[in-house]
Amino acid sequence: MSDSEDESIDKQLKIVIIGDGASGKTSLTTRYAQEQFGKQYKQTVGIDFFLRRIVLPGNVNVALQVWDIGGQTLGGGMLDKYLYGAHGVLLVYDITNYSSFENLEDWLVVVRRVFENEGKMPHRALVGNKVDLEHMRTVKLDKHQKFAQENGMSSHFVSAKTGDSVNLCFQKIAAEILGITLTKPELEQHQRVVKADIINYQAKEQTSKQPPPQPKSSLCAIQ
């Protein structure tokens, strides 16, 4: 095999996404793999599988196998098999649903059990989803950070709905697994830019109807 052929071979990474139902796991995976967001909730039964190829610094070609595990599989007989061989595990919760955060401890117990005989744990990432609903947050930031630090997890916040930081999350996780350092420009490259309309309020005021005349005041203003 030539050097050029060897360099073109993809690195394969298995990424498993787990967490409670309705925490946004499927929305997260479809947003990342297909740039889509489904407005209606549809429960994942068993497992869904996605594949996306990315290029990391140094022209490293990576094939990400993203496994979306249904929330009802916790305690089921197949979860161990789904997790086996994973290079990275994303534990996803809904920042507006505190119980989805609390239950991550149960999911983490399963991860530890599966990999305790492997001699090496996969990369573990704590992912708080639905940051577009920040005003409804029930899981405080310090709770998130403490859980991540105590369990040796990387920390991420995303919005599957808007796409905010979704690509960045997977890019950082893949890079960390492979021991590749991302520079600041490379990190900024994967930050999603949210577009907003700019309203010319001055023009709007000029074209709007004039308010009714106000009654004269008997008070004097001293300049």
Side-chain angles (χ1 to χ4, degrees), residues 22-32 34-40 92-94 96 127-136 157-167 192-195:
S23 60
K25 301 186 302 299
T26 297
S27 296
L28 178 62
T29 53
T30 53
R31 168 63 74 181
Y32 179 64
Q34 302 174 349
E35 284 292 328
Q36 295 179 355
F37 176 78
K39 294 183 178 180
Q40 293 185 341
V92 179
Y93 73 95
D94 174 358
T96 71
V127 182
N129 187 30
K130 304 187 183 181
V131 293
D132 54 292
L133 300 177
E134 180 66 30
H135 60 289
M136 299 172 59
F157 287 102
V158 302
S159 169
K161 182 176 182 179
T162 66
D164 184 17
S165 297
V166 171
N167 284 348
R192 187 180 182 87
V193 177
V194 180
K195 297 181 179 179

Side-chain angles (χ1 to χ4, degrees), residues 17 23 34 58 60 66 68 124 136 158 164 183 187 206 209 215:
I17 301 181
S23 60
Q34 302 174 349
V60 179
V66 184
D68 171 26
R124 296 163 319 284
M136 299 172 59
V158 302
D164 184 17
T183 64
L187 292 172
Q206 291 175 352
K209 293 182 179 179

